[in-house]
Amino acid sequence: MRRLPIAPFVVLAASVVFVACGGGGGGGTSGGAPTPPTPTPTSTPATYSLSGTVSQIPNDAYGPATIMGTTYQSADAGSTTGLANATVVVGPVPIIGATPPATLPAGDVIVTTSATGAFTAMLAVAPAAPTSAEPFVLPTNNITGFAPPAAGYYVEVFAHGADGLSAGVPIPLHRFVAAGSTIALRVTSPSSAEAGALATVNSDRASNAGAAPLTFDESAEEVARLHASDEAARNYYCHYDVRNAGPSSRYLTVGGTGLTGEQLDAPTGTTAVEGFANAEAAFLAEKAESPPGGHYAGLVDSAHTWAGLASIAISGGFQVDYELITPNAQDSVVGSSGYPVTSGCPTGTLDNNS
């Protein structure tokens, strides 16, 4: 970020006191003028600015995101509209929730986007490295060479009336951005099928394990759509893509922070709603296994906070992708081992825990 110049010293006016002449006959002065006090310099505290724009993209859109030299984006990703009157929180402390907090953490500031989606935040705190409260969890095999920004700010975007659950309203965005440049942020919104699927997930989490509800996160939703769409277009079914990049690599590349737990299914169905419902039933069925299967364990894991859910049509059914996100490294299910290679993976796929 550009540091503003320090304001010039403010010189205080010095008062000089003259002593009156002595009385009668002498006519001389008594003593001389006192030494003026030394001015005390003052300066304006340093401020730092972060500017950017927030645009809304359609409710089935994702990208652009470049992963290992290939750029992924939906056909309608270029259809953007400035998101006006959105709340943007910028600062050194991340906001995990789906709505702005009643009281901002120390150092964070809040601004509102203009009619064109533009904003500028002025901060008294210098950009710094990401905190442990919302870390970048790099995969064991960081094949994309992803490196978090060395210094920057957490940025969250909350559209007016958005709750992170409902269809048709922009999804909350949580990100860590590098200092020193203008940023362009894009947010989508859940379809009715996606919002319905999240409601089902939250109901199943509560009834089976007493786990708290998940909310949509922009990066999680975009990466779910990206991978499910890529599987559908290239006719494969695998946690790894055709370049052997795994879930963690994709999530970080689209802008996410924290740790993702990806769950895939290729259910039958004639609508996206049926695709979601059949995938959810398959995940829940693993509860009866001893011990419960990994999909069920991930579904009800209380460490998860955010979600991205996608159901993309293929011949005879759907590619369903759940991205279940923990905004810190304290996850009881994900991260202990790599994602398995299945029969549906591209030829040459390796279990590389990326």
Side-chain angles (χ1 to χ4, degrees), residues 54 99 123 143:
V54 182
T99 57
L123 299 104
I143 63 173

Side-chain angles (χ1 to χ4, degrees), residues 59-134:
N59 70 1
D60 60 350
Y62 60 88
T66 301
I67 304 173
M68 300 183 71
T70 298
T71 299
Y72 299 84
Q73 65 179 34
S74 60
D76 55 358
S79 177
T80 62
T81 304
L83 184 61
N85 299 316
T87 298
V88 182
V89 179
V90 182
V93 182
I95 305 299
I96 303 299
T99 57
T103 302
L104 289 180
D108 284 12
V109 299
I110 191 167
V111 294
T112 303
T113 58
S114 70
T116 61
F119 69 90
T120 296
M122 304 299 295
L123 299 104
V125 179
T131 71
S132 60
E134 191 181 6

